[in-house]
Amino acid sequence: MNFVIREKPLKLLWLEALLRRLHEGDSELRYYSEQFRRLYAGFAGEQRVDREWDEIICPNTFFVLHNIVLENTAKHFHQVDTLFVCKYFILVVEIKNINGRLDFDGATYQCTRTKSDGTVEGFPNAITQIQRHMQFFKTFFKNYSFPIEGAVIFSNPSAIIANHPNTVPIFHVSGLQSHIQHLFTKYTKPVISDEQLTYFVQQIKARHQPQEVLSHIDSSRFRHGVLCPKCHYKKQMLFYRGIWKCVVCHYVSTEIFAEALLDYRLLVSRTITNSQLRAFFGIDSSDAALRLLRKFQFPSTGTTKNRVYHLPDNLIEFMKPFF
Ligand SMILES: [Zn+2]
């Protein structure tokens, strides 16, 4: 078995960084808070399903891939919550973390949610979403006679799955284990070898297109600097002799710089120069800024004077060994 840890989606990290820093009274604070709440609920639901994958007992090698984004021939994207790949079949999973009563109308393709207070609202139809993904994977693996299965999984125990067509299995997360076992009894002949399976997964990973956060917020709308976590990110910490210190609560830290630099990477730019570092983080001395930048051995381009430092994707992990 090979289990890939689910990472927080970039948009969620971006919203976290923004909400830490956005000025109180910003006209869009509520809008971003609501976006964060929805995305976070989705992520929490996916994590709940991940725990089930973790417990699957299976004698065969399988891979579980998360948040895979692939482009089809029409240049449209398929964002797949989870993909279960083994030698016998492929299972495409759409995860929904919503509560209330859910009705799927097979004739109109409409999906509605009825809340406990009786309000009814329309929802994107998870069945048609999964069918679209399944069709895509049929084309993606067209040279192999891979059975492509799909399932919609509800991660919120209080969701009530009401009317639905029998086109794609829909069930609560607690049914995942038995569904997988059922598929292993349905497909008993391997379609590919172990080596091909590994190659397949590599192919999928290579085609994965990490999503970019396209929104840009003017930097005048948020607090700059290394912010004090003990003061709820409201106070800027001062840099003195390699240590960040909060003048309000006297909290000191060196590692806190990694989190703040990640905020910078998410909200401002993936690159930084000595002068940009000084301006954003409130460091007076050019030499002190240079020492700080050199300490982490970021890849850089340009000459000494105009050197541009490139902040890697896995910034926090990258910086850890240097503290
Ligand atoms: Zn403080």
Side-chain angles (χ1 to χ4, degrees), residues 78-79 92 94 129-137:
H78 288 263
Q79 190 169 353
V92 193
E94 183 75 19
Q129 281 175 334
I130 206 79
Q131 284 171 329
R132 179 177 167 266
H133 294 330
M134 287 164 72
Q135 196 52 48
F136 166 71
F137 282 110

Side-chain angles (χ1 to χ4, degrees), residues 16-26 29 217-228 231-236 260 263-264 267-268 279-281:
E16 271 180 354
L18 183 67
L19 291 172
R20 265 199 288 272
R21 290 175 177 266
L22 206 59
H23 290 306
E24 285 157 85
D26 187 281
L29 181 61
I217 302 284
D218 193 275
S219 73
S220 63
R221 287 173 61 186
F222 50 82
R223 288 185 284 278
H224 295 187
V226 171
L227 304 177
C228 176
C231 294
H232 308 285
Y233 299 98
K234 299 277 190 277
K235 301 289 170 202
Q236 191 170 344
D263 284 359
Y264 176 92
L267 300 174
V268 184
F280 192 85
F281 294 102

Side-chain angles (χ1 to χ4, degrees), residues 227-232 235 237 245-251:
L227 304 177
C228 176
K230 306 280 176 202
C231 294
H232 308 285
K235 301 289 170 202
M237 299 173 83
K245 184 174 181 180
C246 175
V247 288
V248 179
C249 73
H250 307 295
Y251 171 67

Side-chain angles (χ1 to χ4, degrees), residues 125-187:
N125 190 329
I127 297 174
T128 45
Q129 281 175 334
I130 206 79
Q131 284 171 329
R132 179 177 167 266
H133 294 330
M134 287 164 72
Q135 196 52 48
F136 166 71
F137 282 110
K138 272 189 189 123
T139 316
F140 195 88
F141 297 122
K142 61 178 181 291
N143 296 333
Y144 303 84
S145 49
F146 242 128
I148 312 279
E149 290 275 341
V152 177
I153 299 181
F154 283 88
S155 56
N156 192 325
S158 64
I160 298 159
I161 305 163
N163 299 314
H164 61 88
N166 286 327
T167 43
V168 173
I170 302 180
F171 50 86
H172 274 283
V173 59
S174 53
L176 179 61
Q177 303 250 11
S178 59
H179 187 70
I180 293 284
Q181 300 311 333
H182 161 72
L183 292 176
F184 274 115
T185 51
K186 185 175 169 185
Y187 303 110

